[in-house]
Amino acid sequence: MTRLAAFLDSDLAWSFRHSPVTVVAAIVAIISIVGAIGSPLFAPHDPFDLAKLDLLDAFAPPAWFDQGKAAFLLGTDDQGRDVFSTILYGTRISLAVGVASVVLSMALGTALGLLAGYVGGVLDAFIMRVADVQLSFPAILIALLINGLARIAWPDAAHAGIAFWVIVLSIGLSGWVQYARTVRGSTLVEARKEYVQAARVIGRHPLAIMFQHVLPNVTGPVLVIATIHLATAITTEATLSFLGVGMPPTTPSLGTLIRIGNDFLFSGEWWITVFPGVALVALVLSVNLLGDWLRDALNPRLR
Amino acid sequence: MKRTFSRIAFGALACVLVSAADAATLRFANQGDALSMDPHMHNEAVLLSLTGNVYESLTGRGRKFETTPELATDWKQTAPTVWRFNLRKGVKFHDGTPFTADDVIFSFERARGEGSDVKVYVSAIKEIRKVDAHAIDIVTTDPFLILPQTVSRWYVMSKSWCEKNNATRPADVRKGGENYATLRANGTGPFMLKSREPGVRTVFTANPDWWGKVEHNVTEAIFTPIGNDATRVAALVSGEIDMMDPLPLQDVPRVQSNPNLKVMQSPELRTIFLGMDQKRDELLHSNIKGRNPFKDVRVRRAFYQAIDIEAIRTRIMRGVSTPTGLMVAPDTQGFAPELNKRLPYDLEAAKKLMAEAGYPSGFEVGMNCPNDRYVNDSEICQAIAAMLAKIGVKVNLVAESKSLFFPKVIGRNVSFYLAGWTPASQDSHNALFAVMSTPGEGAQGQFNGGAYSNPRLDELTRKIGAENDTARRNAMIAEAFKIHQDDIGHIPLHQQPITWGMKKTVEMVQLPDNFLYMRWVMVK
């Protein structure tokens, strides 16, 4: 209990309480995340259970319209899936893909960036040239390439279980460059500072210096990139799914749902895309705002 | 001096204005691109439609879809298996070389040779004999009544051009290769290929030296594939393009209500169907090992009866598809109306059949489906996956772009798939031969992705090709259809509508093959 009390008394908690925007963002993010994780509990239907879908329910408008059905609060999509339930289930997939691939990118990019910046020399040149080459291709192309290779390795990747990890791998490996470049830049600056020199002088192991001294001082920009990257990863997943190499269309993610709905935007069936779109914007925006706040709160120079 | 200059400038301006009024640019879009500009590389409507403006065949199609002379001026049967074709004189390829009988013979060898996907159009031909530079004798293996219609999708290429550019063989679509002819074209047709960027844009210009009577006013035509439905509609509404195919069914009312736009809709000859691998002893994509459930007709029947075609018609196809019990459309020669009945939609019967076949709790199967080829193709596949879930079949659906999808079907590396077929000759024989016959020599069963096989049907197909009497021929076609129906060789679904959205200022001819004939386009 004392630990909780100490946390509530800390500067971090104080700055959180005094930033209404952050509080709202946190509430929205928590609702999204809890709703997504607990989707089987909260969702009125299971849109991924194909046996329970009825095509005759398709294109029902939200419940408060004349032709709406009470069972489908936010209407149904072209396959008769309940939009509200699909948002919950789809957010779970999108969040899982997004978070897992961002963590992968972040870990890989940060480690390589630290190494490049701290060790320098040939290693630095090599890592950064690889990064340059990769940066000259669009991320989606890299993701497609990795996806293609993964599918040769596991030919049965059509199964949702493997498809998930293949996507995480392809998006994760395509996004590390920004992290590596940012971390390398900051590391170059930090490595010349006195505390690093001091650590060197007392003979600490280079890896310890990198990860214990330099890393905490370069995490600020990394967190900001990560929050933005989360949104990119979710949309990249939607694109991959459209190209037929992502999640199967029978288990749509939030991004896929928006893309499906996009086809019906002009024909008056706006609810298929608008509600999932609002859900995605709310999720991404709240995560971004939280990231912003975290960066400022952790920055000693702004205190 | 100054005045002279301004006169010249005025004159130049006037010229520009005048030519702008006469010259018309046609900008059109499709949901997908052709895989190549080589007319022998892939037997698919988008490719044949686009290249059909550049290349020509011995026979063509008229405004009423009748067979018309094209590179041949006339033809007659001189013996039961010999046809004399007189070739048009004075025709030049776009590179200026004259068109002769040698080009036809070269194109025949190319179309039936290695790597060709259009073997089906020349498979009845045994040999072509040159009579003189502008006359040939086509010899068929058996008497073949519908030869003139059948050769209309076999385009003639220039012998010298192909030899000069090392493109005497088409690149194999299954291997995804490329050669000179996949990106360039040299035909005799009313339009010339100006530039080609696969997946981005393809530009055609009118051929000033074309032999025929010009019935269009298009000087330049720009083709852009736009995959996303909403983007394609937005491009049409904003005036960025003049014509699009297909207009998404959900957007038909919106386009109709726009004062500047119109909708052209008519039934297509294409039949959409499901195929099942009936050859392998173990399916490529299934959890059943050691045996192939699709070899059991009861499983195929259960799949058939689990599909609620009315729900697909009313919901996904918005009421404009025509459910079918046959693999050919009503306007096809040999269509048998009395056989055009579907097995009833009956979930209980389907479950019972699955139990009898030894799969009371169903099984898992991978399904391949294009998502940019047919009207609402991926949506239909998703709906079918949901319908089959009700009889315990778990479908692992892979919906992908046609450039990935078609090589798998043509290579027969699929377990369960959705595809469509239009008999280009408008005759049932073509569907029987290419889709329902046992895969064999040459083009036989070339698009039979599940390798369905029944020797009696093969034999009938051979006889139908050689039969001259319409009544006997139709009786044999009906018998073959009945066999295919009883075997459930494929599961026919429906005929889709052709739906074009375009500006009111554009006049076009829409035929049931869904080809875009630029030679009849008038832009006001």
Side-chain angles (χ1 to χ4, degrees):
Chain A
M1 253 7 238
T2 48
R3 228 180 250 174
L4 183 67
F7 174 74
L8 287 176
D9 200 34
S10 69
D11 290 349
L12 202 64
W14 186 88
S15 105
F16 180 78
R17 277 199 303 275
H18 286 77
S19 162
V21 173
T22 312
V23 175
V24 173
I27 292 171
V28 173
I30 287 171
I31 291 176
S32 302
I33 293 167
V34 169
I37 295 172
S39 49
L41 297 174
F42 302 121
H45 305 271
D46 180 355
F48 291 179
D49 183 359
L50 292 176
K52 293 205 186 105
L53 292 186
D54 189 349
L55 193 55
L56 295 175
D57 289 333
F59 299 119
W64 58 88
F65 283 86
D66 283 346
Q67 273 127 34
K69 294 176 186 161
F72 307 113
L73 182 62
L74 300 182
T76 57
D77 73 356
D78 61 328
Q79 296 289 331
R81 286 182 287 243
D82 175 36
V83 169
F84 177 62
S85 309
T86 318
I87 288 176
L88 292 180
Y89 275 80
T91 309
R92 184 159 70 154
I93 295 184
S94 288
L95 262 183
V97 170
V99 169
S101 52
V102 164
V103 166
L104 180 63
S105 287
M106 193 162 70
L108 191 69
T110 310
L112 290 173
L114 268 178
L115 270 176
Y118 190 82
V119 178
V122 179
L123 186 69
D124 178 26
F126 177 72
I127 293 175
M128 284 303 118
R129 289 306 79 74
V130 171
D132 286 347
V133 169
Q134 185 165 335
L135 208 59
S136 62
F137 294 102
I140 187 78
L141 211 62
I142 305 277
L144 272 176
L145 176 74
I146 297 167
N147 209 298
L149 293 176
R151 264 156 207 275
I152 294 169
W154 299 289
D156 271 340
H159 300 288
I162 305 174
F164 175 82
W165 291 109
V166 169
I167 294 175
V168 168
L169 200 69
S170 19
I171 301 177
L173 290 183
S174 67
W176 64 274
V177 176
Q178 286 96 319
Y179 296 96
R181 290 192 143 200
T182 314
V183 170
R184 174 181 172 270
S186 311
T187 308
L188 285 176
V189 175
E190 296 296 325
R192 293 205 191 88
K193 289 194 175 160
E194 277 141 14
Y195 70 93
V196 177
Q197 305 291 345
R200 262 192 206 159
V201 168
I202 60 171
R204 291 216 66 186
H205 192 271
L207 277 180
I209 300 176
M210 267 186 258
F211 286 96
Q212 286 183 358
H213 300 288
V214 181
L215 182 61
N217 288 294
V218 298
T219 43
V222 168
L223 284 179
V224 177
I225 298 179
T227 52
I228 297 165
H229 191 198
L230 183 65
T232 322
I234 289 173
T235 44
T236 309
E237 185 276 322
T239 314
L240 285 177
S241 298
F242 174 64
L243 294 174
V245 293
M247 297 297 286
T250 43
T251 54
S253 62
L254 197 56
T256 313
L257 197 60
I258 294 170
R259 191 198 41 76
I260 294 172
N262 200 5
D263 288 348
F264 302 103
L265 202 50
F266 283 149
S267 53
E269 283 124 2
W270 50 272
W271 56 89
I272 307 176
T273 195
V274 167
F275 293 123
V278 168
L280 181 66
V281 168
L283 174 64
V284 171
L285 189 64
S286 62
V287 173
N288 265 332
L289 288 172
L290 281 176
D292 264 6
W293 163 77
L294 197 66
R295 181 195 57 187
D296 292 347
L298 292 176
N299 189 340
R301 267 163 267 153
L302 284 181
R303 269 183 206 159
Chain B
M1 186 63 207
K2 206 173 188 182
R3 181 172 284 178
T4 321
F5 178 74
S6 67
R7 265 190 201 155
I8 292 170
F10 181 77
L13 184 68
C15 283
V16 169
L17 288 177
V18 167
S19 64
D22 287 339
T25 303
L26 174 73
R27 296 156 304 171
F28 61 109
N30 193 297
Q31 60 176 336
D33 200 355
L35 292 187
S36 164
M37 284 291 110
D38 186 331
H40 298 158
M41 178 171 163
H42 191 202
N43 184 13
E44 187 233 10
V46 176
L47 186 149
L48 293 176
S49 161
L50 278 179
T51 55
N53 294 297
V54 178
Y55 290 102
E56 289 172 313
S57 323
L58 295 179
T59 65
R61 295 287 181 182
R63 285 178 183 257
K64 297 201 164 59
F65 208 55
E66 75 279 16
T67 303
T68 56
E70 212 163 84
L71 287 176
T73 48
D74 59 276
W75 52 85
K76 62 173 187 289
Q77 228 169 338
T78 52
T81 58
V82 183
W83 294 68
R84 167 69 57 88
F85 279 75
N86 288 313
L87 305 180
R88 196 174 293 279
K89 289 173 185 150
V91 175
K92 279 191 166 61
F93 283 99
H94 298 154
D95 67 354
T97 51
F99 158 75
T100 67
D102 292 328
D103 297 308
V104 180
I105 294 167
F106 165 77
S107 300
F108 166 62
E109 294 299 337
R110 194 177 193 270
R112 73 165 175 180
E114 198 183 319
S116 165
D117 193 42
V118 295
K119 289 175 185 159
V120 61
Y121 301 131
V122 293
S123 58
I125 303 175
K126 193 166 126 202
E127 62 170 325
I128 298 184
R129 289 191 218 122
K130 183 176 170 180
V131 178
D132 62 47
H134 290 98
I136 51 168
D137 276 341
I138 296 185
V139 184
T140 56
T141 322
D142 300 307
F144 195 65
L145 193 65
I146 54 167
L147 183 73
Q149 294 94 294
T150 307
V151 295
S152 70
R153 292 288 177 253
W154 156 49
Y155 297 141
V156 175
M157 299 177 79
S158 159
K159 184 180 185 211
S160 63
W161 183 78
C162 285
E163 282 174 350
K164 194 170 69 192
N165 296 305
N166 204 11
T168 51
R169 276 184 194 155
D172 194 327
V173 64
R174 282 163 296 190
K175 292 169 191 150
E178 272 191 10
N179 64 22
Y180 195 82
T182 53
L183 291 172
R184 292 167 197 81
N186 177 37
T188 54
F191 285 84
M192 304 189 288
L193 180 66
K194 187 179 169 197
S195 68
R196 161 86 177 156
E197 295 168 64
V200 184
R201 60 192 239 139
T202 307
V203 182
F204 303 91
T205 50
N207 175 7
D209 302 323
W210 188 47
W211 54 267
K213 182 170 162 265
V214 176
E215 293 175 63
H216 67 84
N217 68 343
V218 177
T219 46
E220 188 177 56
I222 302 168
F223 169 71
T224 330
I226 306 177
N228 184 290
D229 282 355
T231 316
R232 207 162 61 249
V233 175
L236 182 70
V237 171
S238 68
E240 210 177 294
I241 53 171
D242 304 316
M243 181 269 175
M244 66 182 287
D245 168 38
L247 176 65
L249 298 177
Q250 64 267 21
D251 293 314
V252 169
R254 180 186 150 90
V255 169
Q256 260 164 348
S257 66
N258 187 313
N260 301 321
L261 303 175
K262 63 178 174 182
V263 176
M264 275 182 96
Q265 201 169 47
S266 63
E268 189 174 2
L269 280 180
R270 184 179 306 281
T271 301
I272 304 294
F273 60 86
L274 300 173
M276 296 148 286
D277 182 353
Q278 292 152 62
K279 177 143 200 260
R280 284 190 176 78
D281 291 325
E282 183 180 297
L283 289 176
L284 280 181
H285 311 290
S286 173
N287 63 342
I288 303 287
K289 298 295 169 200
R291 59 195 163 135
N292 176 351
F294 286 135
K295 284 198 176 194
D296 190 331
V297 69
R298 288 172 295 192
V299 172
R300 305 201 291 272
R301 197 181 165 96
F303 272 50
Y304 196 143
Q305 295 208 282
I307 291 167
D308 183 359
I309 198 74
E310 269 304 300
I312 293 177
R313 187 180 74 87
T314 55
R315 290 303 185 273
I316 293 176
M317 301 302 286
R318 310 229 171 195
V320 289
S321 65
T322 315
T324 179
L326 285 175
M327 294 289 285
V328 294
D331 284 333
T332 314
Q333 174 68 37
F335 176 79
E338 68 283 1
L339 289 175
N340 189 21
K341 287 188 205 81
R342 292 183 60 82
L343 286 177
Y345 165 60
D346 188 339
L347 272 184
E348 289 315 310
K351 280 182 195 160
K352 216 171 127 226
L353 283 164
M354 287 292 279
E356 282 171 21
Y359 308 98
S361 52
F363 56 89
E364 258 185 60
V365 64
M367 180 180 191
N368 291 82
C369 184
N371 62 12
D372 56 0
R373 180 61 194 93
Y374 310 114
V375 178
N376 291 338
D377 39 16
S378 139
E379 286 77 9
I380 297 170
C381 289
Q382 284 184 57
I384 285 170
M387 289 166 181
L388 291 176
K390 295 187 175 66
I391 59 167
V393 174
K394 184 173 182 294
V395 172
N396 295 315
L397 178 60
V398 179
E400 58 199 350
S401 175
K402 65 183 180 185
S403 58
L404 298 167
F405 168 79
F406 277 123
K408 290 181 194 165
V409 172
I410 297 169
R412 293 192 194 88
N413 289 317
V414 286
S415 298
F416 182 45
Y417 66 97
L418 175 136
W421 186 260
T422 306
S425 50
Q426 214 186 339
D427 187 287
S428 298
H429 176 265
N430 173 276
L432 284 166
F433 183 71
V435 184
M436 296 179 250
S437 292
T438 311
E441 284 294 301
Q444 185 178 329
Q446 200 172 9
F447 202 65
N448 186 356
Y452 159 73
S453 169
N454 186 314
R456 175 70 187 146
L457 187 142
D458 295 348
E459 190 195 329
L460 281 168
T461 305
R462 262 193 302 278
K463 282 189 184 160
I464 292 162
E467 181 58 61
N468 280 333
D469 181 88
T470 311
R472 274 207 302 270
R473 197 166 182 274
N474 284 354
M476 285 195 288
I477 291 174
E479 191 191 338
F481 282 161
K482 186 81 179 56
I483 292 170
H484 182 267
Q485 247 175 2
D486 291 343
D487 284 349
I488 312 181
H490 297 78
I491 301 174
L493 294 175
H494 58 235
Q495 275 99 33
Q496 62 183 22
I498 305 176
T499 315
W500 293 354
M502 63 181 83
K503 286 186 182 158
K504 280 206 172 127
T505 53
V506 180
E507 291 296 328
M508 288 193 176
V509 176
Q510 190 177 52
L511 297 182
D513 57 3
N514 199 13
F515 276 32
L516 197 151
Y517 295 91
M518 290 199 288
R519 62 175 189 261
W520 295 319
V521 175
M522 292 299 283
V523 184
K524 268 177 234 153

